[in-house]
């Protein structure tokens, strides 16, 4: 199935690379725009530079894989994109909002409303059932109880987990736990899905199913940035950005952007 999706994408013409593109007379701005990002840490008297003047833009509706070996800086770049860490210097604009000078509270608010996280280890709370885990970001955002329950059930249903809502993580397979984690990431209807090695803790068959689900989510209009060390997984994205020694060393577009990029709720 993933191969069929990639083949269909490849049949369409691929637009020239650029930071902005036009649709008719309308200028489309990037959803993510990083410019000259530097991230350094002090180790005694030594300054260790993890990211070295990284510039990257991601447009709405794209599916971008960031690939690199261990120690390449890809995790630091993910933390920067996810507003989990702030750069030492440089600028980061997320949906037109400059983030580099925001307070911790404002960053947390923006992170909770704009970004849905999908982690390798699922990060589900073991004492909560699937519905309650999906509801967590809605609780933090003050969504009324009835609405968050309805939204959680809808997300689980769309991901094929309608009969597992009252099961705790220990009662679910790895693939089912990752589906719950994806449902949680989608619950706030975020602008961006940020996936950190989402298939890393799964067997190959289940990992392929989760990857196919990611492709489907992107086809439905969700913008995705996926972090991986696996070239095979990266090839399922529309665009592959390679990072090494804290610098972007390659940027390839494998498939075109959607004709009309517009984020949609998975429910359609």
């Amino acid at each position: 199935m993933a191969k069929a999706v990639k083949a269909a994408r490849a049949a369409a013409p691929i637009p020239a690379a650029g930071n902005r593109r036009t649709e008719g007379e309308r200028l489309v701005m990037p959803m993510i725009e990083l410019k000259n990002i530097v991230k350094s840490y002090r180790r005694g008297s030594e300054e260790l530079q993890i990211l070295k003047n990284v510039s990257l833009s991601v447009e709405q509706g794209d599916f971008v894989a960031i690939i690199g070996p261990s120690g390449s800086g890809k995790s630091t770049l993910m933390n920067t994109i996810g507003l989990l860490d702030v750069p030492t210097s440089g600028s980061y604009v997320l949906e037109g909002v400059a983030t580099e000078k925001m307070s911790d509270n404002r960053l947390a608010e923006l992170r909770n409303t704009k970004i849905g996280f999908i982690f390798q280890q699922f990060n589900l709370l073991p004492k909560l059932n699937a519905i309650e885990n999906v509801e967590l970001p809605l609780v933090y955002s003050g969504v009324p109880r009835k609405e968050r329950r309805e939204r959680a059930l809808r997300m689980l249903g769309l991901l094929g987990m309608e009969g597992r809502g009252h099961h705790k993580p220990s009662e679910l397979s790895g693939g089912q736990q990752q589906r719950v984690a994806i449902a949680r990431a989608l619950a706030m209807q975020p602008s961006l899905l940020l996936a950190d090695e989402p298939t890393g803790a799964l067997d190959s068959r289940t990992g392929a199913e989760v990857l196919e689900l990611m492709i489907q989510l992107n086809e439905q209009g969700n913008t995705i940035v996926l972090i991986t060390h696996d070239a095979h997984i990266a090839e399922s994205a529309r665009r592959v950005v390679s990072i090494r020694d804290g610098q972007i060393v390659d940027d390839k577009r494998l498939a075109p952007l959607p004709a009309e990029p517009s984020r949609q709720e998975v429910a359609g």
Side-chain angles (χ1 to χ4, degrees):
M1 184 68 172
K3 291 182 179 179
V5 173
K6 287 192 285 184
R9 287 174 174 175
I14 299 178
N19 287 342
R20 293 170 176 81
R21 64 192 177 101
T22 57
E23 291 180 359
E25 298 298 319
R26 183 167 63 91
L27 185 67
V28 179
M29 303 294 287
M31 173 178 288
I32 293 170
E33 191 156 26
L34 303 170
K35 288 185 177 180
N36 302 318
I37 293 293
V38 173
K39 182 61 181 180
S40 301
Y41 296 97
R42 300 293 302 184
R43 181 181 291 172
S45 59
E46 180 186 6
E47 183 179 48
L48 184 62
Q49 199 170 74
I50 307 300
L51 296 178
K52 305 169 183 177
N53 291 305
V54 171
S55 294
L56 175 69
S57 64
V58 175
E59 294 188 45
Q60 185 177 350
D62 211 348
F63 183 177
V64 178
I66 298 175
I67 184 171
S70 178
S72 63
K74 67 180 184 296
S75 295
T76 303
L77 182 56
M78 182 203 73
N79 288 340
T80 301
I81 293 172
L83 303 175
L84 296 168
D85 202 355
V86 294
T88 304
S89 63
S91 66
Y92 175 21
V93 177
L94 175 62
E95 281 202 313
V97 179
T99 66
E100 61 272 9
K101 295 182 179 179
M102 283 184 175
S103 67
D104 290 346
N105 287 342
R106 179 69 180 108
L107 284 172
E109 179 185 349
L110 194 65
R111 184 168 59 242
N112 194 38
T113 56
K114 295 288 188 182
I115 303 173
F117 291 90
I118 303 169
F119 298 102
Q120 177 177 341
Q121 298 298 334
F122 320 134
N123 288 359
L124 301 177
L125 296 187
K127 293 184 178 181
L128 301 184
N129 63 31
I131 295 171
E132 293 164 339
N133 267 286
V134 175
E135 286 181 328
L136 273 180
L138 305 174
V139 173
Y140 298 147
S141 295
V143 175
R145 182 174 182 175
K146 181 180 179 181
E147 181 182 346
R148 66 180 186 245
R149 180 55 54 99
E150 290 174 350
R151 199 184 296 184
L153 289 170
R154 185 166 70 252
M155 291 297 104
L156 287 170
L158 290 167
L159 291 168
M161 293 292 293
E162 60 273 6
R164 301 281 182 172
H166 293 285
H167 289 65
K168 292 183 178 179
S170 61
E171 300 170 324
L172 302 172
S173 69
Q176 290 170 335
Q177 289 184 60
Q178 190 61 290
R179 286 175 180 266
V180 173
I182 293 171
R184 180 185 58 195
L186 291 167
M188 287 294 294
Q189 301 171 22
S191 303
L192 170 68
L193 288 175
L194 187 56
D196 180 19
E197 301 277 8
T199 65
L202 304 173
D203 62 68
S204 57
R205 182 185 62 81
T206 306
E209 292 175 357
V210 169
L211 186 59
E212 172 60 27
L213 179 58
M214 302 285 290
I215 293 172
Q216 291 175 4
L217 289 169
N218 176 245
E219 291 291 329
Q220 293 166 354
N222 294 278
T223 305
I224 299 174
V225 173
L226 181 149
I227 311 299
T228 185
H229 68 278
D230 189 323
H232 175 70
I233 290 173
E235 287 174 358
S236 295
R238 296 179 184 270
R239 176 182 170 198
V240 178
V241 175
S242 299
I243 185 170
R244 185 178 294 273
D245 298 326
Q247 296 178 302
I248 291 175
V249 295
D250 197 19
D251 189 344
K252 293 181 180 178
R253 180 158 291 287
L254 305 182
L257 286 158
E260 297 181 0
S262 60
R263 179 173 59 89
Q264 303 171 9
E265 185 181 346
V266 183

